mmCIF file of all heavy atoms in Angstrom:
data_model
loop_
_atom_site.group_PDB
_atom_site.id
_atom_site.type_symbol
_atom_site.label_atom_id
_atom_site.label_comp_id
_atom_site.label_asym_id
_atom_site.label_seq_id
_atom_site.Cartn_x
_atom_site.Cartn_y
_atom_site.Cartn_z
ATOM 1 N N ASP A 114 153.742 123.410 55.323
ATOM 2 C CA ASP A 114 153.014 122.770 54.274
ATOM 3 C C ASP A 114 152.355 123.691 53.386
ATOM 4 O O ASP A 114 151.397 124.449 53.822
ATOM 5 C CB ASP A 114 152.000 121.748 54.958
ATOM 6 C CG ASP A 114 151.277 120.974 53.864
ATOM 7 O OD1 ASP A 114 151.498 121.129 52.661
ATOM 8 O OD2 ASP A 114 150.451 120.032 54.307
ATOM 9 N N GLY A 115 152.723 123.813 52.173
ATOM 10 C CA GLY A 115 152.222 124.890 51.246
ATOM 11 C C GLY A 115 150.758 124.722 50.984
ATOM 12 O O GLY A 115 150.003 125.708 50.763
ATOM 13 N N TRP A 116 150.237 123.492 51.126
ATOM 14 C CA TRP A 116 148.772 123.279 50.856
ATOM 15 C C TRP A 116 147.998 123.878 52.059
ATOM 16 O O TRP A 116 146.739 124.012 51.871
ATOM 17 C CB TRP A 116 148.444 121.786 50.782
ATOM 18 C CG TRP A 116 149.072 121.183 49.505
ATOM 19 C CD1 TRP A 116 150.181 120.387 49.443
ATOM 20 C CD2 TRP A 116 148.641 121.348 48.194
ATOM 21 N NE1 TRP A 116 150.432 120.032 48.152
ATOM 22 C CE2 TRP A 116 149.527 120.637 47.330
ATOM 23 C CE3 TRP A 116 147.552 122.127 47.567
ATOM 24 C CZ2 TRP A 116 149.345 120.592 45.956
ATOM 25 C CZ3 TRP A 116 147.430 122.032 46.247
ATOM 26 C CH2 TRP A 116 148.333 121.341 45.437
ATOM 27 N N MET A 117 148.590 124.150 53.187
ATOM 28 C CA MET A 117 147.782 124.665 54.335
ATOM 29 C C MET A 117 148.002 126.148 54.513
ATOM 30 O O MET A 117 147.459 126.789 55.503
ATOM 31 C CB MET A 117 148.322 123.954 55.573
ATOM 32 C CG MET A 117 148.082 122.458 55.570
ATOM 33 S SD MET A 117 146.372 121.997 55.224
ATOM 34 C CE MET A 117 145.585 122.597 56.635
ATOM 35 N N VAL A 118 148.736 126.816 53.640
ATOM 36 C CA VAL A 118 148.939 128.292 53.671
ATOM 37 C C VAL A 118 147.616 128.928 53.644
ATOM 38 O O VAL A 118 147.335 129.903 54.337
ATOM 39 C CB VAL A 118 149.903 128.770 52.593
ATOM 40 C CG1 VAL A 118 149.895 130.328 52.536
ATOM 41 C CG2 VAL A 118 151.327 128.250 52.793
ATOM 42 N N TYR A 119 146.747 128.552 52.680
ATOM 43 C CA TYR A 119 145.413 129.130 52.615
ATOM 44 C C TYR A 119 144.462 128.069 53.181
ATOM 45 O O TYR A 119 144.337 126.934 52.718
ATOM 46 C CB TYR A 119 145.046 129.315 51.128
ATOM 47 C CG TYR A 119 143.577 129.681 50.937
ATOM 48 C CD1 TYR A 119 143.142 130.956 51.297
ATOM 49 C CD2 TYR A 119 142.702 128.774 50.425
ATOM 50 C CE1 TYR A 119 141.761 131.269 51.163
ATOM 51 C CE2 TYR A 119 141.361 129.111 50.242
ATOM 52 C CZ TYR A 119 140.915 130.388 50.564
ATOM 53 O OH TYR A 119 139.564 130.722 50.420
ATOM 54 N N ASN A 120 143.753 128.551 54.288
ATOM 55 C CA ASN A 120 142.708 127.729 54.887
ATOM 56 C C ASN A 120 141.400 128.336 54.611
ATOM 57 O O ASN A 120 141.028 129.382 55.153
ATOM 58 C CB ASN A 120 143.045 127.653 56.416
ATOM 59 C CG ASN A 120 142.038 126.685 57.042
ATOM 60 O OD1 ASN A 120 140.902 126.576 56.800
ATOM 61 N ND2 ASN A 120 142.638 125.939 58.010
ATOM 62 N N PRO A 121 140.580 127.719 53.759
ATOM 63 C CA PRO A 121 139.228 128.309 53.414
ATOM 64 C C PRO A 121 138.345 128.527 54.560
ATOM 65 O O PRO A 121 137.622 129.560 54.650
ATOM 66 C CB PRO A 121 138.681 127.297 52.429
ATOM 67 C CG PRO A 121 139.429 125.991 52.602
ATOM 68 C CD PRO A 121 140.781 126.337 53.084
ATOM 69 N N VAL A 122 138.370 127.590 55.505
ATOM 70 C CA VAL A 122 137.419 127.774 56.695
ATOM 71 C C VAL A 122 137.858 129.064 57.500
ATOM 72 O O VAL A 122 136.962 129.808 57.900
ATOM 73 C CB VAL A 122 137.445 126.535 57.629
ATOM 74 C CG1 VAL A 122 136.666 126.745 58.893
ATOM 75 C CG2 VAL A 122 136.866 125.380 56.804
ATOM 76 N N GLU A 123 139.154 129.175 57.726
ATOM 77 C CA GLU A 123 139.595 130.388 58.454
ATOM 78 C C GLU A 123 139.325 131.639 57.636
ATOM 79 O O GLU A 123 138.939 132.657 58.222
ATOM 80 C CB GLU A 123 141.175 130.275 58.590
ATOM 81 C CG GLU A 123 141.544 129.194 59.719
ATOM 82 C CD GLU A 123 140.828 129.514 61.067
ATOM 83 O OE1 GLU A 123 140.839 130.691 61.475
ATOM 84 O OE2 GLU A 123 140.445 128.463 61.651
ATOM 85 N N GLU A 124 139.411 131.607 56.356
ATOM 86 C CA GLU A 124 139.140 132.764 55.562
ATOM 87 C C GLU A 124 137.674 133.154 55.619
ATOM 88 O O GLU A 124 137.304 134.286 55.724
ATOM 89 C CB GLU A 124 139.482 132.536 54.017
ATOM 90 C CG GLU A 124 139.091 133.547 53.084
ATOM 91 C CD GLU A 124 139.628 134.985 53.379
ATOM 92 O OE1 GLU A 124 140.623 135.105 54.153
ATOM 93 O OE2 GLU A 124 139.120 135.970 52.851
ATOM 94 N N TYR A 125 136.793 132.093 55.617
ATOM 95 C CA TYR A 125 135.335 132.385 55.732
ATOM 96 C C TYR A 125 135.048 132.953 57.111
ATOM 97 O O TYR A 125 134.232 133.780 57.265
ATOM 98 C CB TYR A 125 134.517 131.122 55.466
ATOM 99 C CG TYR A 125 134.487 130.675 53.939
ATOM 100 C CD1 TYR A 125 134.622 129.420 53.551
ATOM 101 C CD2 TYR A 125 134.195 131.663 52.966
ATOM 102 C CE1 TYR A 125 134.660 129.024 52.283
ATOM 103 C CE2 TYR A 125 134.151 131.306 51.669
ATOM 104 C CZ TYR A 125 134.365 129.977 51.275
ATOM 105 O OH TYR A 125 134.308 129.580 49.960
ATOM 106 N N ARG A 126 135.696 132.405 58.092
ATOM 107 C CA ARG A 126 135.502 132.940 59.447
ATOM 108 C C ARG A 126 135.884 134.428 59.571
ATOM 109 O O ARG A 126 135.302 135.207 60.303
ATOM 110 C CB ARG A 126 136.269 132.089 60.472
ATOM 111 C CG ARG A 126 135.603 130.726 60.798
ATOM 112 C CD ARG A 126 136.465 129.913 61.711
ATOM 113 N NE ARG A 126 135.792 128.613 61.935
ATOM 114 C CZ ARG A 126 136.432 127.554 62.505
ATOM 115 N NH1 ARG A 126 137.785 127.672 62.862
ATOM 116 N NH2 ARG A 126 135.798 126.465 62.771
ATOM 117 N N ARG A 127 136.978 134.737 58.882
ATOM 118 C CA ARG A 127 137.384 136.144 58.862
ATOM 119 C C ARG A 127 136.328 137.012 58.273
ATOM 120 O O ARG A 127 136.158 138.210 58.708
ATOM 121 C CB ARG A 127 138.679 136.237 57.968
ATOM 122 C CG ARG A 127 139.243 137.678 57.934
ATOM 123 C CD ARG A 127 140.340 137.850 56.933
ATOM 124 N NE ARG A 127 139.873 137.670 55.582
ATOM 125 C CZ ARG A 127 139.279 138.688 54.961
ATOM 126 N NH1 ARG A 127 139.013 139.862 55.462
ATOM 127 N NH2 ARG A 127 138.813 138.430 53.700
ATOM 128 N N GLN A 128 135.531 136.536 57.352
ATOM 129 C CA GLN A 128 134.452 137.266 56.747
ATOM 130 C C GLN A 128 133.131 137.159 57.502
ATOM 131 O O GLN A 128 132.121 137.647 57.155
ATOM 132 C CB GLN A 128 134.232 136.809 55.348
ATOM 133 C CG GLN A 128 135.414 137.017 54.444
ATOM 134 C CD GLN A 128 135.048 136.477 53.020
ATOM 135 O OE1 GLN A 128 134.250 136.962 52.314
ATOM 136 N NE2 GLN A 128 135.865 135.448 52.625
ATOM 137 N N GLY A 129 133.162 136.520 58.737
ATOM 138 C CA GLY A 129 131.966 136.422 59.547
ATOM 139 C C GLY A 129 131.068 135.231 59.051
ATOM 140 O O GLY A 129 129.827 135.236 59.319
ATOM 141 N N LEU A 130 131.662 134.275 58.475
ATOM 142 C CA LEU A 130 130.901 133.090 57.978
ATOM 143 C C LEU A 130 131.376 131.836 58.617
ATOM 144 O O LEU A 130 132.640 131.732 58.902
ATOM 145 C CB LEU A 130 130.982 133.051 56.453
ATOM 146 C CG LEU A 130 130.533 134.209 55.653
ATOM 147 C CD1 LEU A 130 130.937 134.121 54.156
ATOM 148 C CD2 LEU A 130 128.946 134.238 55.682
ATOM 149 N N PRO A 131 130.560 130.835 58.893
ATOM 150 C CA PRO A 131 129.098 130.805 58.587
ATOM 151 C C PRO A 131 128.323 131.744 59.654
ATOM 152 O O PRO A 131 128.866 132.035 60.751
ATOM 153 C CB PRO A 131 128.683 129.408 58.755
ATOM 154 C CG PRO A 131 129.774 128.824 59.681
ATOM 155 C CD PRO A 131 131.034 129.581 59.385
#
Side-chain angles (χ1 to χ4, degrees):
D114 183 356
W116 292 107
M117 300 304 295
V118 170
Y119 171 74
N120 185 319
V122 173
E123 290 299 321
E124 171 59 18
Y125 287 135
R126 284 176 180 164
R127 184 190 66 81
Q128 299 178 63
L130 299 166

